[in-house]
PDB file of all heavy atoms in Angstrom:
ATOM      1  N   GLY A   1       9.381  -0.613  10.136  1.00  0.00           N
ATOM      2  CA  GLY A   1       8.387   0.336   9.701  1.00  0.00           C
ATOM      3  C   GLY A   1       8.802   1.789   9.765  1.00  0.00           C
ATOM      4  O   GLY A   1       7.954   2.668   9.581  1.00  0.00           O
ATOM      5  N   VAL A   2      10.074   2.053   9.995  1.00  0.00           N
ATOM      6  CA  VAL A   2      10.525   3.431  10.093  1.00  0.00           C
ATOM      7  C   VAL A   2      10.528   4.122   8.728  1.00  0.00           C
ATOM      8  O   VAL A   2      10.164   5.292   8.612  1.00  0.00           O
ATOM      9  CB  VAL A   2      11.922   3.500  10.721  1.00  0.00           C
ATOM     10  CG1 VAL A   2      12.479   4.921  10.669  1.00  0.00           C
ATOM     11  CG2 VAL A   2      11.871   3.011  12.162  1.00  0.00           C
ATOM     12  N   ASN A   3      10.918   3.390   7.698  1.00  0.00           N
ATOM     13  CA  ASN A   3      11.047   3.960   6.363  1.00  0.00           C
ATOM     14  C   ASN A   3      10.000   3.371   5.432  1.00  0.00           C
ATOM     15  O   ASN A   3       9.759   2.163   5.433  1.00  0.00           O
ATOM     16  CB  ASN A   3      12.437   3.691   5.799  1.00  0.00           C
ATOM     17  CG  ASN A   3      13.545   4.245   6.672  1.00  0.00           C
ATOM     18  OD1 ASN A   3      14.367   3.487   7.191  1.00  0.00           O
ATOM     19  ND2 ASN A   3      13.556   5.557   6.844  1.00  0.00           N
ATOM     20  N   THR A   4       9.396   4.236   4.639  1.00  0.00           N
ATOM     21  CA  THR A   4       8.415   3.802   3.653  1.00  0.00           C
ATOM     22  C   THR A   4       8.698   4.444   2.311  1.00  0.00           C
ATOM     23  O   THR A   4       9.341   5.490   2.218  1.00  0.00           O
ATOM     24  CB  THR A   4       6.978   4.147   4.078  1.00  0.00           C
ATOM     25  OG1 THR A   4       6.866   5.562   4.301  1.00  0.00           O
ATOM     26  CG2 THR A   4       6.594   3.399   5.343  1.00  0.00           C
ATOM     27  N   TYR A   5       8.209   3.790   1.274  1.00  0.00           N
ATOM     28  CA  TYR A   5       8.326   4.285  -0.089  1.00  0.00           C
ATOM     29  C   TYR A   5       6.972   4.139  -0.770  1.00  0.00           C
ATOM     30  O   TYR A   5       6.273   3.145  -0.566  1.00  0.00           O
ATOM     31  CB  TYR A   5       9.374   3.482  -0.867  1.00  0.00           C
ATOM     32  CG  TYR A   5       9.291   3.684  -2.360  1.00  0.00           C
ATOM     33  CD1 TYR A   5       9.994   4.716  -2.978  1.00  0.00           C
ATOM     34  CD2 TYR A   5       8.499   2.858  -3.148  1.00  0.00           C
ATOM     35  CE1 TYR A   5       9.900   4.916  -4.339  1.00  0.00           C
ATOM     36  CE2 TYR A   5       8.411   3.051  -4.514  1.00  0.00           C
ATOM     37  CZ  TYR A   5       9.111   4.087  -5.108  1.00  0.00           C
ATOM     38  OH  TYR A   5       9.021   4.283  -6.457  1.00  0.00           O
ATOM     39  N   TYR A   6       6.628   5.120  -1.598  1.00  0.00           N
ATOM     40  CA  TYR A   6       5.404   5.048  -2.384  1.00  0.00           C
ATOM     41  C   TYR A   6       5.672   5.482  -3.812  1.00  0.00           C
ATOM     42  O   TYR A   6       6.426   6.428  -4.050  1.00  0.00           O
ATOM     43  CB  TYR A   6       4.318   5.954  -1.800  1.00  0.00           C
ATOM     44  CG  TYR A   6       3.882   5.569  -0.416  1.00  0.00           C
ATOM     45  CD1 TYR A   6       4.436   6.174   0.709  1.00  0.00           C
ATOM     46  CD2 TYR A   6       2.908   4.595  -0.225  1.00  0.00           C
ATOM     47  CE1 TYR A   6       4.034   5.815   1.981  1.00  0.00           C
ATOM     48  CE2 TYR A   6       2.504   4.233   1.041  1.00  0.00           C
ATOM     49  CZ  TYR A   6       3.068   4.845   2.148  1.00  0.00           C
ATOM     50  OH  TYR A   6       2.669   4.483   3.410  1.00  0.00           O
ATOM     51  N   ALA A   7       5.056   4.788  -4.736  1.00  0.00           N
ATOM     52  CA  ALA A   7       5.072   5.246  -6.115  1.00  0.00           C
ATOM     53  C   ALA A   7       4.356   6.592  -6.198  1.00  0.00           C
ATOM     54  O   ALA A   7       3.420   6.860  -5.445  1.00  0.00           O
ATOM     55  CB  ALA A   7       4.400   4.222  -7.022  1.00  0.00           C
ATOM     56  N   ASP A   8       4.795   7.414  -7.124  1.00  0.00           N
ATOM     57  CA  ASP A   8       4.252   8.772  -7.210  1.00  0.00           C
ATOM     58  C   ASP A   8       2.736   8.799  -7.387  1.00  0.00           C
ATOM     59  O   ASP A   8       2.058   9.657  -6.815  1.00  0.00           O
ATOM     60  CB  ASP A   8       4.914   9.526  -8.371  1.00  0.00           C
ATOM     61  CG  ASP A   8       6.337   9.925  -8.067  1.00  0.00           C
ATOM     62  OD1 ASP A   8       6.729   9.932  -6.882  1.00  0.00           O
ATOM     63  OD2 ASP A   8       7.073  10.249  -9.029  1.00  0.00           O
ATOM     64  N   ASP A   9       2.200   7.881  -8.158  1.00  0.00           N
ATOM     65  CA  ASP A   9       0.777   7.938  -8.453  1.00  0.00           C
ATOM     66  C   ASP A   9      -0.120   7.414  -7.337  1.00  0.00           C
ATOM     67  O   ASP A   9      -1.348   7.459  -7.470  1.00  0.00           O
ATOM     68  CB  ASP A   9       0.471   7.222  -9.777  1.00  0.00           C
ATOM     69  CG  ASP A   9       0.867   5.762  -9.782  1.00  0.00           C
ATOM     70  OD1 ASP A   9       1.575   5.318  -8.861  1.00  0.00           O
ATOM     71  OD2 ASP A   9       0.452   5.059 -10.725  1.00  0.00           O
ATOM     72  N   VAL A  10       0.465   6.927  -6.237  1.00  0.00           N
ATOM     73  CA  VAL A  10      -0.354   6.489  -5.111  1.00  0.00           C
ATOM     74  C   VAL A  10      -0.099   7.293  -3.854  1.00  0.00           C
ATOM     75  O   VAL A  10      -0.796   7.095  -2.840  1.00  0.00           O
ATOM     76  CB  VAL A  10      -0.184   4.989  -4.813  1.00  0.00           C
ATOM     77  CG1 VAL A  10      -0.414   4.163  -6.070  1.00  0.00           C
ATOM     78  CG2 VAL A  10       1.181   4.697  -4.204  1.00  0.00           C
ATOM     79  N   LYS A  11       0.860   8.196  -3.886  1.00  0.00           N
ATOM     80  CA  LYS A  11       1.149   9.019  -2.714  1.00  0.00           C
ATOM     81  C   LYS A  11      -0.080   9.813  -2.301  1.00  0.00           C
ATOM     82  O   LYS A  11      -0.758  10.412  -3.126  1.00  0.00           O
ATOM     83  CB  LYS A  11       2.309   9.973  -3.000  1.00  0.00           C
ATOM     84  CG  LYS A  11       3.660   9.306  -3.061  1.00  0.00           C
ATOM     85  CD  LYS A  11       4.766  10.316  -3.327  1.00  0.00           C
ATOM     86  CE  LYS A  11       6.120   9.648  -3.372  1.00  0.00           C
ATOM     87  NZ  LYS A  11       7.199  10.607  -3.690  1.00  0.00           N
ATOM     88  N   GLY A  12      -0.353   9.794  -1.018  1.00  0.00           N
ATOM     89  CA  GLY A  12      -1.520  10.489  -0.495  1.00  0.00           C
ATOM     90  C   GLY A  12      -2.788   9.669  -0.524  1.00  0.00           C
ATOM     91  O   GLY A  12      -3.788  10.063   0.095  1.00  0.00           O
ATOM     92  N   ARG A  13      -2.782   8.558  -1.240  1.00  0.00           N
ATOM     93  CA  ARG A  13      -3.958   7.695  -1.332  1.00  0.00           C
ATOM     94  C   ARG A  13      -3.747   6.334  -0.661  1.00  0.00           C
ATOM     95  O   ARG A  13      -4.672   5.789  -0.067  1.00  0.00           O
ATOM     96  CB  ARG A  13      -4.347   7.461  -2.791  1.00  0.00           C
ATOM     97  CG  ARG A  13      -4.717   8.737  -3.537  1.00  0.00           C
ATOM     98  CD  ARG A  13      -5.354   8.415  -4.877  1.00  0.00           C
ATOM     99  NE  ARG A  13      -4.432   7.698  -5.767  1.00  0.00           N
ATOM    100  CZ  ARG A  13      -4.681   6.497  -6.293  1.00  0.00           C
ATOM    101  NH1 ARG A  13      -5.820   5.875  -6.029  1.00  0.00           N
ATOM    102  NH2 ARG A  13      -3.803   5.930  -7.104  1.00  0.00           N
ATOM    103  N   PHE A  14      -2.539   5.798  -0.781  1.00  0.00           N
ATOM    104  CA  PHE A  14      -2.236   4.477  -0.232  1.00  0.00           C
ATOM    105  C   PHE A  14      -1.317   4.620   0.975  1.00  0.00           C
ATOM    106  O   PHE A  14      -0.460   5.516   1.021  1.00  0.00           O
ATOM    107  CB  PHE A  14      -1.524   3.605  -1.262  1.00  0.00           C
ATOM    108  CG  PHE A  14      -2.367   3.163  -2.428  1.00  0.00           C
ATOM    109  CD1 PHE A  14      -3.632   3.678  -2.656  1.00  0.00           C
ATOM    110  CD2 PHE A  14      -1.869   2.216  -3.310  1.00  0.00           C
ATOM    111  CE1 PHE A  14      -4.394   3.266  -3.732  1.00  0.00           C
ATOM    112  CE2 PHE A  14      -2.620   1.794  -4.390  1.00  0.00           C
ATOM    113  CZ  PHE A  14      -3.877   2.316  -4.606  1.00  0.00           C
ATOM    114  N   THR A  15      -1.465   3.712   1.924  1.00  0.00           N
ATOM    115  CA  THR A  15      -0.604   3.681   3.100  1.00  0.00           C
ATOM    116  C   THR A  15      -0.180   2.247   3.376  1.00  0.00           C
ATOM    117  O   THR A  15      -1.028   1.360   3.499  1.00  0.00           O
ATOM    118  CB  THR A  15      -1.308   4.240   4.343  1.00  0.00           C
ATOM    119  OG1 THR A  15      -1.740   5.582   4.099  1.00  0.00           O
ATOM    120  CG2 THR A  15      -0.355   4.245   5.531  1.00  0.00           C
ATOM    121  N   ILE A  16       1.120   2.032   3.473  1.00  0.00           N
ATOM    122  CA  ILE A  16       1.641   0.720   3.836  1.00  0.00           C
ATOM    123  C   ILE A  16       1.988   0.730   5.324  1.00  0.00           C
ATOM    124  O   ILE A  16       2.488   1.728   5.850  1.00  0.00           O
ATOM    125  CB  ILE A  16       2.866   0.328   2.978  1.00  0.00           C
ATOM    126  CG1 ILE A  16       3.271  -1.121   3.237  1.00  0.00           C
ATOM    127  CG2 ILE A  16       4.031   1.280   3.197  1.00  0.00           C
ATOM    128  CD1 ILE A  16       4.320  -1.651   2.251  1.00  0.00           C
ATOM    129  N   SER A  17       1.697  -0.361   5.989  1.00  0.00           N
ATOM    130  CA  SER A  17       2.023  -0.486   7.400  1.00  0.00           C
ATOM    131  C   SER A  17       2.305  -1.945   7.708  1.00  0.00           C
ATOM    132  O   SER A  17       1.999  -2.837   6.904  1.00  0.00           O
ATOM    133  CB  SER A  17       0.891   0.049   8.287  1.00  0.00           C
ATOM    134  OG  SER A  17      -0.307  -0.682   8.090  1.00  0.00           O
ATOM    135  N   ARG A  18       2.895  -2.192   8.858  1.00  0.00           N
ATOM    136  CA  ARG A  18       3.157  -3.574   9.246  1.00  0.00           C
ATOM    137  C   ARG A  18       2.948  -3.742  10.740  1.00  0.00           C
ATOM    138  O   ARG A  18       3.172  -2.823  11.528  1.00  0.00           O
ATOM    139  CB  ARG A  18       4.568  -4.019   8.832  1.00  0.00           C
ATOM    140  CG  ARG A  18       5.703  -3.298   9.531  1.00  0.00           C
ATOM    141  CD  ARG A  18       7.041  -3.589   8.842  1.00  0.00           C
ATOM    142  NE  ARG A  18       7.417  -4.991   8.922  1.00  0.00           N
ATOM    143  CZ  ARG A  18       8.334  -5.565   8.150  1.00  0.00           C
ATOM    144  NH1 ARG A  18       8.970  -4.856   7.216  1.00  0.00           N
ATOM    145  NH2 ARG A  18       8.606  -6.855   8.299  1.00  0.00           N
ATOM    146  N   ASP A  19       2.525  -4.930  11.112  1.00  0.00           N
ATOM    147  CA  ASP A  19       2.358  -5.313  12.497  1.00  0.00           C
ATOM    148  C   ASP A  19       3.233  -6.538  12.688  1.00  0.00           C
ATOM    149  O   ASP A  19       2.834  -7.659  12.358  1.00  0.00           O
ATOM    150  CB  ASP A  19       0.893  -5.609  12.813  1.00  0.00           C
ATOM    151  CG  ASP A  19       0.660  -5.886  14.285  1.00  0.00           C
ATOM    152  OD1 ASP A  19       1.623  -6.225  15.006  1.00  0.00           O
ATOM    153  OD2 ASP A  19      -0.492  -5.765  14.729  1.00  0.00           O
ATOM    154  N   ASN A  20       4.420  -6.330  13.204  1.00  0.00           N
ATOM    155  CA  ASN A  20       5.373  -7.425  13.322  1.00  0.00           C
ATOM    156  C   ASN A  20       4.929  -8.487  14.323  1.00  0.00           C
ATOM    157  O   ASN A  20       5.301  -9.648  14.194  1.00  0.00           O
ATOM    158  CB  ASN A  20       6.754  -6.882  13.686  1.00  0.00           C
ATOM    159  CG  ASN A  20       7.392  -6.119  12.545  1.00  0.00           C
ATOM    160  OD1 ASN A  20       7.089  -6.360  11.375  1.00  0.00           O
ATOM    161  ND2 ASN A  20       8.278  -5.200  12.867  1.00  0.00           N
ATOM    162  N   ALA A  21       4.139  -8.096  15.311  1.00  0.00           N
ATOM    163  CA  ALA A  21       3.616  -9.064  16.269  1.00  0.00           C
ATOM    164  C   ALA A  21       2.644 -10.031  15.611  1.00  0.00           C
ATOM    165  O   ALA A  21       2.471 -11.158  16.070  1.00  0.00           O
ATOM    166  CB  ALA A  21       2.943  -8.353  17.433  1.00  0.00           C
ATOM    167  N   LYS A  22       1.996  -9.598  14.531  1.00  0.00           N
ATOM    168  CA  LYS A  22       1.047 -10.436  13.804  1.00  0.00           C
ATOM    169  C   LYS A  22       1.614 -10.969  12.496  1.00  0.00           C
ATOM    170  O   LYS A  22       0.900 -11.636  11.750  1.00  0.00           O
ATOM    171  CB  LYS A  22      -0.234  -9.658  13.522  1.00  0.00           C
ATOM    172  CG  LYS A  22      -1.005  -9.257  14.765  1.00  0.00           C
ATOM    173  CD  LYS A  22      -2.291  -8.541  14.405  1.00  0.00           C
ATOM    174  CE  LYS A  22      -3.087  -8.190  15.646  1.00  0.00           C
ATOM    175  NZ  LYS A  22      -4.341  -7.484  15.309  1.00  0.00           N
ATOM    176  N   ASN A  23       2.865 -10.669  12.212  1.00  0.00           N
ATOM    177  CA  ASN A  23       3.506 -11.098  10.957  1.00  0.00           C
ATOM    178  C   ASN A  23       2.671 -10.695   9.746  1.00  0.00           C
ATOM    179  O   ASN A  23       2.467 -11.488   8.815  1.00  0.00           O
ATOM    180  CB  ASN A  23       3.732 -12.612  10.950  1.00  0.00           C
ATOM    181  CG  ASN A  23       4.855 -13.045  11.860  1.00  0.00           C
ATOM    182  OD1 ASN A  23       5.479 -12.235  12.540  1.00  0.00           O
ATOM    183  ND2 ASN A  23       5.125 -14.341  11.884  1.00  0.00           N
ATOM    184  N   THR A  24       2.200  -9.471   9.757  1.00  0.00           N
ATOM    185  CA  THR A  24       1.286  -9.018   8.725  1.00  0.00           C
ATOM    186  C   THR A  24       1.674  -7.628   8.226  1.00  0.00           C
ATOM    187  O   THR A  24       2.038  -6.754   9.022  1.00  0.00           O
ATOM    188  CB  THR A  24      -0.163  -8.984   9.238  1.00  0.00           C
ATOM    189  OG1 THR A  24      -0.522 -10.297   9.698  1.00  0.00           O
ATOM    190  CG2 THR A  24      -1.128  -8.576   8.143  1.00  0.00           C
ATOM    191  N   VAL A  25       1.580  -7.450   6.914  1.00  0.00           N
ATOM    192  CA  VAL A  25       1.754  -6.144   6.308  1.00  0.00           C
ATOM    193  C   VAL A  25       0.448  -5.770   5.622  1.00  0.00           C
ATOM    194  O   VAL A  25      -0.256  -6.636   5.094  1.00  0.00           O
ATOM    195  CB  VAL A  25       2.949  -6.132   5.326  1.00  0.00           C
ATOM    196  CG1 VAL A  25       2.722  -7.091   4.162  1.00  0.00           C
ATOM    197  CG2 VAL A  25       3.223  -4.722   4.828  1.00  0.00           C
ATOM    198  N   TYR A  26       0.125  -4.487   5.645  1.00  0.00           N
ATOM    199  CA  TYR A  26      -1.135  -3.998   5.114  1.00  0.00           C
ATOM    200  C   TYR A  26      -0.901  -2.956   4.029  1.00  0.00           C
ATOM    201  O   TYR A  26       0.115  -2.262   4.016  1.00  0.00           O
ATOM    202  CB  TYR A  26      -1.982  -3.356   6.214  1.00  0.00           C
ATOM    203  CG  TYR A  26      -2.243  -4.242   7.397  1.00  0.00           C
ATOM    204  CD1 TYR A  26      -1.430  -4.179   8.523  1.00  0.00           C
ATOM    205  CD2 TYR A  26      -3.309  -5.137   7.397  1.00  0.00           C
ATOM    206  CE1 TYR A  26      -1.671  -4.992   9.621  1.00  0.00           C
ATOM    207  CE2 TYR A  26      -3.559  -5.949   8.487  1.00  0.00           C
ATOM    208  CZ  TYR A  26      -2.739  -5.876   9.595  1.00  0.00           C
ATOM    209  OH  TYR A  26      -2.977  -6.688  10.679  1.00  0.00           O
ATOM    210  N   LEU A  27      -1.860  -2.843   3.155  1.00  0.00           N
ATOM    211  CA  LEU A  27      -1.901  -1.741   2.210  1.00  0.00           C
ATOM    212  C   LEU A  27      -3.300  -1.161   2.244  1.00  0.00           C
ATOM    213  O   LEU A  27      -4.248  -1.779   1.755  1.00  0.00           O
ATOM    214  CB  LEU A  27      -1.546  -2.192   0.788  1.00  0.00           C
ATOM    215  CG  LEU A  27      -1.450  -1.066  -0.239  1.00  0.00           C
ATOM    216  CD1 LEU A  27      -0.261  -0.158   0.066  1.00  0.00           C
ATOM    217  CD2 LEU A  27      -1.343  -1.624  -1.654  1.00  0.00           C
ATOM    218  N   GLN A  28      -3.424  -0.002   2.851  1.00  0.00           N
ATOM    219  CA  GLN A  28      -4.690   0.714   2.873  1.00  0.00           C
ATOM    220  C   GLN A  28      -4.787   1.547   1.607  1.00  0.00           C
ATOM    221  O   GLN A  28      -3.922   2.384   1.351  1.00  0.00           O
ATOM    222  CB  GLN A  28      -4.780   1.610   4.109  1.00  0.00           C
ATOM    223  CG  GLN A  28      -6.055   2.431   4.194  1.00  0.00           C
ATOM    224  CD  GLN A  28      -7.289   1.587   4.398  1.00  0.00           C
ATOM    225  OE1 GLN A  28      -7.285   0.677   5.229  1.00  0.00           O
ATOM    226  NE2 GLN A  28      -8.341   1.864   3.645  1.00  0.00           N
ATOM    227  N   MET A  29      -5.818   1.330   0.838  1.00  0.00           N
ATOM    228  CA  MET A  29      -5.999   2.010  -0.435  1.00  0.00           C
ATOM    229  C   MET A  29      -7.277   2.840  -0.371  1.00  0.00           C
ATOM    230  O   MET A  29      -8.372   2.292  -0.241  1.00  0.00           O
ATOM    231  CB  MET A  29      -6.069   1.007  -1.584  1.00  0.00           C
ATOM    232  CG  MET A  29      -4.859   0.081  -1.661  1.00  0.00           C
ATOM    233  SD  MET A  29      -4.887  -0.993  -3.116  1.00  0.00           S
ATOM    234  CE  MET A  29      -6.308  -2.009  -2.716  1.00  0.00           C
ATOM    235  N   ASN A  30      -7.118   4.135  -0.468  1.00  0.00           N
ATOM    236  CA  ASN A  30      -8.245   5.063  -0.452  1.00  0.00           C
ATOM    237  C   ASN A  30      -8.344   5.781  -1.788  1.00  0.00           C
ATOM    238  O   ASN A  30      -7.401   5.815  -2.563  1.00  0.00           O
ATOM    239  CB  ASN A  30      -8.078   6.082   0.675  1.00  0.00           C
ATOM    240  CG  ASN A  30      -8.046   5.463   2.045  1.00  0.00           C
ATOM    241  OD1 ASN A  30      -8.693   4.451   2.304  1.00  0.00           O
ATOM    242  ND2 ASN A  30      -7.296   6.079   2.958  1.00  0.00           N
ATOM    243  N   SER A  31      -9.495   6.377  -2.019  1.00  0.00           N
ATOM    244  CA  SER A  31      -9.735   7.141  -3.248  1.00  0.00           C
ATOM    245  C   SER A  31      -9.329   6.357  -4.480  1.00  0.00           C
ATOM    246  O   SER A  31      -8.628   6.858  -5.365  1.00  0.00           O
ATOM    247  CB  SER A  31      -8.984   8.478  -3.187  1.00  0.00           C
ATOM    248  OG  SER A  31      -9.387   9.243  -2.075  1.00  0.00           O
ATOM    249  N   LEU A  32      -9.788   5.132  -4.552  1.00  0.00           N
ATOM    250  CA  LEU A  32      -9.385   4.248  -5.632  1.00  0.00           C
ATOM    251  C   LEU A  32      -9.886   4.740  -6.984  1.00  0.00           C
ATOM    252  O   LEU A  32     -10.986   5.296  -7.097  1.00  0.00           O
ATOM    253  CB  LEU A  32      -9.876   2.837  -5.364  1.00  0.00           C
ATOM    254  CG  LEU A  32      -9.045   2.080  -4.323  1.00  0.00           C
ATOM    255  CD1 LEU A  32      -9.812   0.899  -3.778  1.00  0.00           C
ATOM    256  CD2 LEU A  32      -7.720   1.631  -4.937  1.00  0.00           C
ATOM    257  N   LYS A  33      -9.065   4.507  -7.995  1.00  0.00           N
ATOM    258  CA  LYS A  33      -9.351   4.896  -9.365  1.00  0.00           C
ATOM    259  C   LYS A  33      -9.386   3.657 -10.246  1.00  0.00           C
ATOM    260  O   LYS A  33      -8.749   2.657  -9.930  1.00  0.00           O
ATOM    261  CB  LYS A  33      -8.269   5.852  -9.880  1.00  0.00           C
ATOM    262  CG  LYS A  33      -8.040   7.083  -9.035  1.00  0.00           C
ATOM    263  CD  LYS A  33      -6.844   7.870  -9.546  1.00  0.00           C
ATOM    264  CE  LYS A  33      -6.570   9.089  -8.695  1.00  0.00           C
ATOM    265  NZ  LYS A  33      -5.372   9.834  -9.179  1.00  0.00           N
ATOM    266  N   PRO A  34     -10.095   3.725 -11.360  1.00  0.00           N
ATOM    267  CA  PRO A  34     -10.105   2.564 -12.266  1.00  0.00           C
ATOM    268  C   PRO A  34      -8.707   2.127 -12.681  1.00  0.00           C
ATOM    269  O   PRO A  34      -8.474   0.929 -12.867  1.00  0.00           O
ATOM    270  CB  PRO A  34     -10.917   3.071 -13.463  1.00  0.00           C
ATOM    271  CG  PRO A  34     -11.860   4.057 -12.865  1.00  0.00           C
ATOM    272  CD  PRO A  34     -11.058   4.760 -11.791  1.00  0.00           C
ATOM    273  N   GLU A  35      -7.781   3.051 -12.812  1.00  0.00           N
ATOM    274  CA  GLU A  35      -6.418   2.703 -13.199  1.00  0.00           C
ATOM    275  C   GLU A  35      -5.643   1.971 -12.114  1.00  0.00           C
ATOM    276  O   GLU A  35      -4.534   1.500 -12.352  1.00  0.00           O
ATOM    277  CB  GLU A  35      -5.638   3.945 -13.659  1.00  0.00           C
ATOM    278  CG  GLU A  35      -5.684   5.103 -12.687  1.00  0.00           C
ATOM    279  CD  GLU A  35      -6.733   6.137 -13.050  1.00  0.00           C
ATOM    280  OE1 GLU A  35      -7.862   5.747 -13.419  1.00  0.00           O
ATOM    281  OE2 GLU A  35      -6.432   7.346 -12.971  1.00  0.00           O
ATOM    282  N   ASP A  36      -6.218   1.861 -10.918  1.00  0.00           N
ATOM    283  CA  ASP A  36      -5.622   1.050  -9.859  1.00  0.00           C
ATOM    284  C   ASP A  36      -5.934  -0.428 -10.039  1.00  0.00           C
ATOM    285  O   ASP A  36      -5.386  -1.270  -9.305  1.00  0.00           O
ATOM    286  CB  ASP A  36      -6.107   1.499  -8.490  1.00  0.00           C
ATOM    287  CG  ASP A  36      -5.638   2.902  -8.119  1.00  0.00           C
ATOM    288  OD1 ASP A  36      -4.460   3.227  -8.388  1.00  0.00           O
ATOM    289  OD2 ASP A  36      -6.445   3.660  -7.551  1.00  0.00           O
ATOM    290  N   THR A  37      -6.799  -0.756 -10.964  1.00  0.00           N
ATOM    291  CA  THR A  37      -7.172  -2.141 -11.208  1.00  0.00           C
ATOM    292  C   THR A  37      -5.948  -2.963 -11.596  1.00  0.00           C
ATOM    293  O   THR A  37      -5.229  -2.621 -12.540  1.00  0.00           O
ATOM    294  CB  THR A  37      -8.233  -2.227 -12.306  1.00  0.00           C
ATOM    295  OG1 THR A  37      -9.431  -1.588 -11.862  1.00  0.00           O
ATOM    296  CG2 THR A  37      -8.547  -3.677 -12.647  1.00  0.00           C
ATOM    297  N   ALA A  38      -5.701  -4.024 -10.862  1.00  0.00           N
ATOM    298  CA  ALA A  38      -4.527  -4.866 -11.091  1.00  0.00           C
ATOM    299  C   ALA A  38      -4.565  -6.044 -10.132  1.00  0.00           C
ATOM    300  O   ALA A  38      -5.370  -6.075  -9.196  1.00  0.00           O
ATOM    301  CB  ALA A  38      -3.237  -4.066 -10.869  1.00  0.00           C
ATOM    302  N   VAL A  39      -3.686  -6.987 -10.366  1.00  0.00           N
ATOM    303  CA  VAL A  39      -3.394  -7.995  -9.362  1.00  0.00           C
ATOM    304  C   VAL A  39      -2.323  -7.425  -8.454  1.00  0.00           C
ATOM    305  O   VAL A  39      -1.281  -6.960  -8.923  1.00  0.00           O
ATOM    306  CB  VAL A  39      -2.923  -9.317  -9.990  1.00  0.00           C
ATOM    307  CG1 VAL A  39      -2.545 -10.321  -8.905  1.00  0.00           C
ATOM    308  CG2 VAL A  39      -4.011  -9.893 -10.885  1.00  0.00           C
ATOM    309  N   TYR A  40      -2.575  -7.445  -7.166  1.00  0.00           N
ATOM    310  CA  TYR A  40      -1.640  -6.910  -6.191  1.00  0.00           C
ATOM    311  C   TYR A  40      -0.906  -8.048  -5.504  1.00  0.00           C
ATOM    312  O   TYR A  40      -1.521  -9.012  -5.037  1.00  0.00           O
ATOM    313  CB  TYR A  40      -2.374  -6.059  -5.157  1.00  0.00           C
ATOM    314  CG  TYR A  40      -2.753  -4.694  -5.688  1.00  0.00           C
ATOM    315  CD1 TYR A  40      -3.752  -4.556  -6.636  1.00  0.00           C
ATOM    316  CD2 TYR A  40      -2.086  -3.551  -5.258  1.00  0.00           C
ATOM    317  CE1 TYR A  40      -4.087  -3.314  -7.149  1.00  0.00           C
ATOM    318  CE2 TYR A  40      -2.417  -2.299  -5.757  1.00  0.00           C
ATOM    319  CZ  TYR A  40      -3.410  -2.182  -6.701  1.00  0.00           C
ATOM    320  OH  TYR A  40      -3.737  -0.941  -7.208  1.00  0.00           O
ATOM    321  N   TYR A  41       0.417  -7.921  -5.434  1.00  0.00           N
ATOM    322  CA  TYR A  41       1.276  -8.944  -4.868  1.00  0.00           C
ATOM    323  C   TYR A  41       2.029  -8.414  -3.660  1.00  0.00           C
ATOM    324  O   TYR A  41       2.572  -7.313  -3.701  1.00  0.00           O
ATOM    325  CB  TYR A  41       2.306  -9.417  -5.888  1.00  0.00           C
ATOM    326  CG  TYR A  41       1.734 -10.075  -7.112  1.00  0.00           C
ATOM    327  CD1 TYR A  41       1.403  -9.335  -8.235  1.00  0.00           C
ATOM    328  CD2 TYR A  41       1.527 -11.457  -7.141  1.00  0.00           C
ATOM    329  CE1 TYR A  41       0.886  -9.943  -9.369  1.00  0.00           C
ATOM    330  CE2 TYR A  41       1.014 -12.067  -8.267  1.00  0.00           C
ATOM    331  CZ  TYR A  41       0.695 -11.308  -9.375  1.00  0.00           C
ATOM    332  OH  TYR A  41       0.181 -11.917 -10.497  1.00  0.00           O
ATOM    333  N   CYS A  42       2.073  -9.211  -2.637  1.00  0.00           N
ATOM    334  CA  CYS A  42       2.916  -8.954  -1.482  1.00  0.00           C
ATOM    335  C   CYS A  42       4.264  -9.622  -1.706  1.00  0.00           C
ATOM    336  O   CYS A  42       4.335 -10.730  -2.245  1.00  0.00           O
ATOM    337  CB  CYS A  42       2.235  -9.514  -0.228  1.00  0.00           C
ATOM    338  SG  CYS A  42       3.181  -9.382   1.295  1.00  0.00           S
ATOM    339  N   ALA A  43       5.331  -8.963  -1.313  1.00  0.00           N
ATOM    340  CA  ALA A  43       6.666  -9.516  -1.490  1.00  0.00           C
ATOM    341  C   ALA A  43       7.545  -9.186  -0.300  1.00  0.00           C
ATOM    342  O   ALA A  43       7.380  -8.148   0.338  1.00  0.00           O
ATOM    343  CB  ALA A  43       7.295  -8.980  -2.776  1.00  0.00           C
TER     344      ALA A  43
END
């Protein structure tokens, strides 16, 4: 979790984080816009 990357159009609105003890990654999405509508995939 030291390094993160964000697409330009989500910077300042989305935050990626991970909890390795829980084997889980999160995407916090704030200030959502209609153009954010999509199927979101974890990889």
